[in-house]
Amino acid sequence: MDLQQGGTERPLPQLIWRPMTPSDIDGVVGVARLSFPDHFEARECFAERQELAPEGCFVLSDEAGTVMGYLMAYPWTRNAAPPLDSLIGAIPDDAEVIYLHDLAVHPETRGGGYTRPIVERLAEQSKAAGWKEIALVAVNEATAFWERNGFVVQNLPGMAEKLASYGADARYMIRTL
């Protein structure tokens, strides 16, 4: 149960992680705008990534299908990050890692324990598919969160320049599977 202002209890909706479909993209964009207001990406970016790597895209939704969170991941080149708000065109032939592009939950569901299960699901799925690492760029001072999920900051020469569009606090991180 959750307490609303004034002390009245209200039940939290039952939410589950499921594969993302093209019809979920508008809901994903809505959650992204709330979660990353300083790192906006166009709807086309989310739609393209879901189309290119549907196996790495999930939504947190209620029984009615309302998107309350999402995770997007796809194969990518190690020690690189796609520029924000850009189409990637294709999965690189020389992809070496699974790149966790985004994980976000709606502000109403934060603190509900929803993130760790999907991160672990992605890790298990990636390892089973033969991938050895998951990479990401931590933003919005989320480095400690990602460290708790097994990721380690990589201080690589030239990486700060590559991450400039992500903000001053951006950190490239890797989790070995």
Side-chain angles (χ1 to χ4, degrees):
M1 300 296 272
D2 189 26
L3 293 180
Q4 290 181 326
Q5 201 162 11
T8 40
E9 292 186 4
R10 66 177 171 87
L12 289 173
Q14 290 295 106
L15 301 175
I16 60 160
W17 285 103
R18 63 171 173 77
M20 184 185 297
T21 66
S23 64
D24 293 318
I25 299 299
D26 289 334
V28 167
V29 170
V31 172
R33 283 188 177 145
L34 291 171
S35 301
F36 305 110
D38 297 331
H39 301 97
F40 178 75
E41 293 191 275
R43 182 186 191 285
E44 294 77 20
C45 296
F46 293 102
E48 179 195 51
R49 285 159 174 79
Q50 190 277 330
E51 182 180 332
L52 290 172
E55 68 283 356
C57 298
F58 302 91
V59 293
L60 180 66
S61 71
D62 61 17
E63 291 178 3
T66 304
V67 175
M68 299 301 288
Y70 70 95
L71 180 143
M72 298 193 97
Y74 46 88
W76 199 249
T77 308
R78 192 178 200 283
N79 300 331
L84 285 176
D85 197 27
S86 66
L87 298 177
I88 60 174
I91 300 299
D93 291 336
D94 62 348
E96 301 167 89
V97 299
I98 293 297
Y99 182 74
L100 200 166
H101 184 87
D102 265 350
L103 170 61
V105 293
H106 192 283
E108 292 177 10
T109 63
R110 290 185 187 144
Y114 295 110
T115 56
R116 186 173 298 273
I118 195 62
V119 171
E120 292 309 312
R121 180 174 172 180
L122 177 67
E124 291 168 13
Q125 176 180 304
S126 299
K127 186 175 183 176
W131 297 99
K132 300 201 180 320
E133 296 173 318
I134 300 175
L136 59 82
V137 175
V139 297
N140 297 342
E141 300 177 4
T143 302
F145 167 82
W146 290 113
E147 287 174 337
R148 288 191 302 274
N149 282 276
F151 289 81
V152 177
V153 172
Q154 307 295 301
N155 292 312
L156 305 166
M159 187 56 77
E161 293 80 17
K162 291 179 184 179
L163 301 181
S165 69
Y166 287 81
D169 73 327
R171 300 292 178 265
Y172 186 76
M173 303 180 78
I174 288 183
R175 175 176 169 176
T176 302
L177 301 175

